[in-house]
Amino acid sequence: METHPGTEVDKQVAADNLDVLSSTQQVIQEALRRLGYDDAVYELLKEPIRVLTVRFPVRMDDGSVRVFTGYRAQHNDAVGPTKGGIRLHPDVNEDEIRALSIWMTVKCGIANLPYGGGKGGVACDPRHMSFSEIERLSRAYVRAVSQIVGPAKDIPAPDVFSNAQNMAWMLDEYSHLREFDSPGFITGKPVILGGSRGRESATARGVAICIEEAAKVRSLRLEGARVVVQGFGNAGSYLAKFMYDRGARVVGISDAYGALYDERGLDIPDLLERRDSFGTVTKLFKDTITNRELLELDCDILVPAAIENQITMENADRIRAGIVVEAANGPTTPAATRVLADRGILVVPDVLANSGGVIVSYFEWVQNNQGYYWTDEEVDTRLSDLMARSFATVYETALRHRVDMRLAAYIVGVRRVAEAARWRGWV
């Protein structure tokens, strides 16, 4: 694409190339401007109030010692303790963790949860580590950040490449450090250790509810609708199964190595049986397409459920879905969002669509504090009600302010923390 300095297209391309933290700050600033808050509120909310960087040694199976770098960001605790996942991924860096902690604040604000946002991570690749090495890393990370986390301070949870087993190890390590059992310190635990029923599939179930609500406002019948899911990890695989069970045609799925497409609909239960623990299944097939080709398939609903920056200015004009629902964090750049909105494509943003995980984490924390545990039906009913209300609030805000749903979600999400800070006398 040829551009000329100073043109609108040039500005969009520049915006598309912003790092994740800068692009998040821009949306925060615009949301606060539309709400009428002054610059002091933006200065407070544009960065986390606290970021801890830690370096810790882990002994590997061969006897060598590797030093890992980890982070824990706490965006704002005006509403209550901070809350957010711990990702174990080779691309983890401080700016990403800062941005993700802001997103968590917005998610909690949209769902009206008594939390601010937090996020943690370790730069590592668990796919190339043994089970015992991952355990030692999980415990070492908790020891390194233990002074700033806790059930009334900051409550971690699973994220990319972390799961209930990691949470169990972290809970056990924290209990040894504090010398008492503290199940409310961390969520996403196994049920036997105080985890909530429905937590493992909560993110995907929340996305499915958003898909149902988006289909309603677009008068789209979900039965028979063509759905494409990019990513076949925890969220993507559960979502594909939910859509399959609802009668939709899941015509495309992908993993890190390629994508599968069948216009008649894929056999999702069979693919789930054959995938490995990291969501890889396409290696078993010869006739595959690329992730790029998958995103541009003609479909009714496209769900990016993999990694960030998948829909950009480079391919936004070739997206052929009527509805895009973001299960991943940051899969669509802000500039691409505007292109999709201008083309009449409804984009349900990540801070709304994938908030089912933090909502059920909140349910788990409540159950831990009460010592009373809910049934699967109670969890699903509460999640469905809260997700549907959140969608309606964001959609109505978008109509009222005449903005896309991403900006509307930030308008809804930042209002709560801004008001809490104002009442505390911080701004």
Side-chain angles (χ1 to χ4, degrees):
M1 180 189 301
E2 183 179 353
T3 62
H4 302 282
T7 66
E8 184 58 35
V9 172
D10 202 43
K11 293 175 183 176
Q12 288 182 329
V13 171
D16 205 44
N17 292 327
L18 283 174
D19 63 82
V20 64
L21 179 58
S22 297
S23 61
T24 300
Q25 290 170 334
Q26 282 195 353
V27 185
I28 288 281
Q29 188 172 35
E30 177 62 16
L32 290 169
R33 186 188 69 80
R34 288 178 178 269
L35 288 168
Y37 289 103
D38 60 29
D39 290 343
V41 180
Y42 171 65
E43 287 299 315
L44 175 66
L45 300 183
K46 74 176 184 179
E47 291 273 2
I49 59 172
R50 187 177 299 109
V51 181
L52 177 65
T53 300
V54 294
R55 298 183 73 249
F56 53 88
V58 175
R59 188 166 298 280
M60 311 306 283
D61 289 346
D62 63 3
S64 65
V65 173
R66 284 181 58 190
V67 177
F68 292 88
T69 300
Y71 308 93
R72 188 69 190 174
Q74 297 168 344
H75 176 238
N76 193 284
D77 56 6
V79 173
T82 50
K83 181 85 185 74
I86 300 169
R87 57 179 50 191
L88 308 177
H89 194 277
D91 296 334
V92 164
N93 61 76
E94 184 175 328
D95 277 356
E96 176 192 55
I97 295 300
R98 287 173 181 264
L100 291 170
S101 73
I102 299 173
W103 292 356
M104 286 303 301
T105 291
V106 176
K107 285 185 189 182
C108 294
I110 293 169
N112 206 29
L113 304 182
Y115 295 138
K119 185 65 70 169
V122 179
C124 66
D125 194 341
R127 293 169 296 186
H128 299 138
M129 297 172 67
S130 72
F131 193 72
S132 58
E133 287 171 342
I134 296 171
E135 176 180 357
R136 290 193 290 272
L137 179 137
S138 300
R139 292 179 180 276
Y141 174 77
V142 167
R143 290 195 299 273
V145 302
S146 63
Q147 295 302 312
I148 68 166
V149 297
K153 289 182 180 179
D154 181 15
I155 305 108
D159 202 272
V160 177
F161 288 166
S162 62
N163 54 34
Q165 179 62 79
N166 298 101
M167 302 303 106
W169 288 325
M170 292 181 185
L171 170 66
D172 185 65
E173 192 67 24
Y174 186 82
S175 297
H176 285 307
L177 291 170
R178 290 290 172 263
E179 298 183 347
F180 61 85
D181 190 42
S182 183
F185 147 68
I186 202 164
T187 60
K189 306 179 293 295
V191 171
I192 193 66
L193 295 180
S196 176
R197 296 187 181 279
R199 175 61 183 82
E200 188 176 358
S201 62
T203 299
R205 193 170 294 281
V207 175
I209 295 164
C210 282
I211 290 174
E212 293 172 355
E213 296 301 313
K216 289 177 187 176
V217 301
R218 285 299 176 97
S219 300
L220 172 68
R221 182 179 171 83
L222 201 52
E223 290 76 13
R226 297 164 301 162
V227 178
V228 169
V229 181
Q230 185 202 29
F232 210 54
N234 179 275
S237 60
Y238 272 112
L239 178 67
K241 183 62 164 61
F242 290 151
M243 292 295 98
Y244 180 89
D245 290 344
R246 286 283 279 108
R249 272 191 296 150
V250 183
V251 298
I253 64 97
S254 74
D255 56 33
Y257 302 96
L260 303 176
Y261 170 67
D262 188 335
E263 63 179 5
R264 298 165 299 179
L266 295 165
D267 186 345
I268 299 302
D270 178 63
L271 294 177
L272 289 173
E273 285 290 327
R274 301 172 70 179
R275 75 185 187 115
D276 67 20
S277 60
F278 292 103
T280 301
V281 72
T282 62
K283 285 183 176 179
L284 304 176
F285 298 84
K286 292 182 179 179
D287 297 326
T288 61
I289 62 176
T290 65
N291 263 278
R292 174 174 174 168
E293 291 170 324
L294 179 95
L295 290 171
E296 297 172 10
L297 290 172
D298 187 12
C299 62
D300 299 302
I301 301 164
L302 171 62
V303 185
I307 57 176
E308 61 221 23
N309 296 332
Q310 296 302 291
I311 303 176
T312 67
M313 285 291 290
E314 193 276 330
N315 64 353
D317 60 345
R318 295 195 298 275
I319 300 300
R320 291 189 285 171
I323 299 170
V324 175
V325 182
E326 298 181 336
N329 285 320
T332 311
T333 65
T337 297
R338 290 191 288 273
V339 172
L340 297 180
D342 290 343
R343 293 181 55 210
I345 297 172
L346 177 64
V347 179
V348 183
D350 48 7
V351 289
L352 168 62
N354 67 24
S355 62
V358 70
I359 289 172
V360 177
S361 274
Y362 166 63
F363 294 166
E364 181 175 330
W365 182 72
V366 169
Q367 293 170 79
N368 292 156
N369 291 341
Q370 292 179 333
Y372 177 78
Y373 292 85
W374 307 343
T375 64
D376 289 288
E377 292 75 16
E378 287 175 307
V379 172
D380 287 348
T381 298
R382 286 182 165 98
L383 175 61
S384 296
D385 289 346
L386 193 45
M387 287 296 306
R389 288 202 307 271
S390 296
F391 182 95
T393 299
V394 172
Y395 187 71
E396 290 162 6
T397 300
L399 294 178
R400 185 167 64 253
H401 287 268
R402 298 183 180 179
V403 298
D404 60 64
M405 284 192 69
R406 186 180 313 283
L407 182 52
Y410 275 75
I411 290 172
V412 174
V414 301
R415 187 200 308 266
R416 181 173 168 83
V417 66
E419 279 298 286
R422 185 179 68 81
W423 277 99
R424 286 181 178 271
W426 293 0
V427 287

